[in-house]
Structures are given as C-alpha cells and as structure tokens.
C-alpha cells in the first residue's frame, strides 16, 4: 500500500533479459534504504515492484511479461528517471490517497502548457476506466497522487504545481505524446462493485455517474 507522495526519484541503471522476463536495476542517492529489505515493495513510476536484490543505494526487481504489456514500462530505457515510493507504514502520514501500485491502464499526454507557475496537462486515458474518474477526484499518474481539475470524456485535466514538478520526474521527463501509468482511485472501484453486485455487473456498462455519487453523498 502506498500514498502517492513521491519520496525521491531514481535512475533506471540497467535492463536485463532473464529467461524471457526482465530484471531492472534502479538506483537513488535520495531514497533512504536503511529500512528496505528483500521482499519489500517499492512503487516505481506507480508500479508495485518487489525488491529481489539490493545495495547501499540501489535495488533490483524482476518484471513479468504481463507487467510489461499492461504498463508504460515497455517504453522505459536505461537512464530514465523514475518516481519512487516505499510501501507505507502504519505510522506514515497519509498525505495523498490510497494507492495500491496496480496499474489500471496507460495514459497518453496530449497537452502540456505553462499556466502561470504551474504546468497544465491533459492526459487521454483508456475508455474502459474513464468512468472511474471525476472532477476534483484523485488519480495516480506515474505513482503521483494528483487531483483532477476537470474530466472531459476520457481526458483528465491536471495542474502541476512547481514543487511537484521539481521533486518528481514531471518537470524533465513528461513529454507531449509520452505514456504514463494510470491507477484509478480504489474507492471508486469498490463503490461500483458494491452498488452493482447482483445486477449483472459489467464495469464497461456502469450506471455510476458523477451526479449519482454527489446525490448519494460521496462527493
């Protein structure tokens, strides 16, 4: 479990093929590794990955072909900057929202422009998850807990403040037409399941709307 508050950035140092799967080595001089052990989870650009080897300032993870196929990781290359967050502790300050590290889809950055000191960004997300998003709702993009300013069909609109752009990989590595990992708010997923259970549930034909949520006190 994570919060979407990025602790540091890291560098993808090595990509190796290991018997058909991929092994990644990620380094960071900023992340505190003193409480990281083998088997621990670190969200890397929003993907929950398990530490299988580590050193003073680096860790290695194994990645399945399923993860490669379903995330933006397939476009990663050595030297890329990644957003890192260790799994939360019971005593962790909950500064973002509930993040599982399980990517729901890949988004495409279709607009980026300056907005005073902030960066205005529009991201096109997959049709099958658009109904889980809401204006002023929470969404995780490359592991970052963000608030949607506006939702336009399958486009989410975001404003990135200077601090967030500086301490994450947004300022230097998010580019027009670039791909990013999207995780929807887990509350929306379970709420839909609860309200549609036993009614021939189909996530792609949900009756849950922003108006419905507001009317029933969820917004």
């Amino acid at each position: 479990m994570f919060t979407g508050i990025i602790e540091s950035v890291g560098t993808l140092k090595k990509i190796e093929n290991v018997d058909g799967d991929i092994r990644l080595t990620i380094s960071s001089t900023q992340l505190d590794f003193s409480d990281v052990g083998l088997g621990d989870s670190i969200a890397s650009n929003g993907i929950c990955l398990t530490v299988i080897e580590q050193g003073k300032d680096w860790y290695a993870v194994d990645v399945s072909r399923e993860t490669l196929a379903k995330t933006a990781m397939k476009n990663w290359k050595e030297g890329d900057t990644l957003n890192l967050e260790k799994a939360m502790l019971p005593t962790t300050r909950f500064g973002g929202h509930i993040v599982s590290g399980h990517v729901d889809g890949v988004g495409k950055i279709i607009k980026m422009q300056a907005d005073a000191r902030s960066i205005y960004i529009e991201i096109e997300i997959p049709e099958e998850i658009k109904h889980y998003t809401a204006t002023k709702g929470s969404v995780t993009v490359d592991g970052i807990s963000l608030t949607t300013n506006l939702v336009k069909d399958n486009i989410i609109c975001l404003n990135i403040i200077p601090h967030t752009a500086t301490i994450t990989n947004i300022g230097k590595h998010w580019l027009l037409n670039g791909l990013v990992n999207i995780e929807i708010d887990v509350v929306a997923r379970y709420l839909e399941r609860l309200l549609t259970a036993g009614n021939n549930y189909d996530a792609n034909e949900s009756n849950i709307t922003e108006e419905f949520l507001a009317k029933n006190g969820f917004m």
Side-chain angles (χ1 to χ4, degrees):
M1 189 72 71
F2 307 91
T3 69
I5 302 301
I6 302 305
E7 295 182 72
S8 74
V9 294
T11 302
L12 180 53
K13 302 295 289 187
K14 186 184 297 184
I15 303 175
E16 303 173 88
N17 287 301
V18 181
D19 297 328
D21 289 332
I22 298 295
R23 179 167 296 173
L24 306 178
T25 300
I26 300 166
S27 68
S28 176
T29 57
Q30 303 172 26
L31 192 68
D32 179 9
F33 285 92
S34 63
D35 59 351
V36 175
L38 298 183
D40 285 352
S41 297
I42 298 179
S44 309
N45 266 18
I47 307 170
C48 178
L49 299 174
T50 301
V51 175
I52 55 98
E53 191 178 354
Q54 68 180 116
K56 181 180 179 181
D57 60 359
W58 62 272
Y59 64 99
V61 297
D62 283 335
V63 180
S64 69
R65 285 177 289 181
E66 171 73 5
T67 300
L68 284 172
K70 296 298 178 62
T71 69
M73 185 185 290
K74 52 182 170 288
N75 288 343
W76 292 4
K77 59 185 182 300
E78 292 181 357
D80 279 356
T81 300
L82 307 179
N83 298 316
L84 307 181
E85 181 190 356
K86 296 181 292 186
M88 66 182 295
L89 301 171
T91 54
T92 301
R93 178 175 292 165
F94 208 153
H97 70 283
I98 299 173
V99 177
S100 67
H102 302 156
V103 174
D104 293 294
V106 175
K108 180 180 180 180
I109 299 172
I110 61 172
K111 187 172 186 178
M112 293 185 72
Q113 65 183 39
D115 184 5
R117 295 173 56 243
S118 298
I119 306 172
Y120 174 79
I121 297 176
E122 292 186 359
I123 300 175
E124 184 179 62
I125 64 174
E127 286 281 338
E128 60 268 22
I129 63 172
K130 69 179 184 180
H131 61 284
Y132 293 109
T133 60
T135 298
K136 303 305 179 184
S138 296
V139 66
T140 307
V141 184
D142 267 0
I144 309 166
S145 173
L146 297 171
T147 300
T148 54
N149 286 349
L150 181 67
V151 175
K152 302 185 293 187
D153 192 33
N154 68 322
I155 297 172
I156 57 174
C157 307
L158 311 165
N159 263 79
I160 309 300
I161 64 172
H163 175 75
T164 302
T166 299
I167 68 168
T168 67
N169 66 358
I170 293 176
K172 294 182 179 180
H173 292 275
W174 281 22
L175 302 171
L176 194 63
N177 297 317
L179 302 181
V180 288
N181 293 315
I182 303 292
E183 181 185 334
I184 60 172
D185 189 347
V186 67
V187 174
R189 182 192 302 281
Y190 284 108
L191 177 61
E192 180 186 60
R193 180 58 176 156
L194 176 65
L195 294 175
T196 57
N199 296 317
N200 297 318
Y201 172 72
D202 185 340
N204 294 318
E205 298 181 1
S206 172
N207 292 320
I208 305 303
T209 64
E210 185 175 342
E211 181 182 1
F212 175 90
L213 295 175
K215 181 179 178 180
N216 288 275
F218 292 101
M219 294 182 61

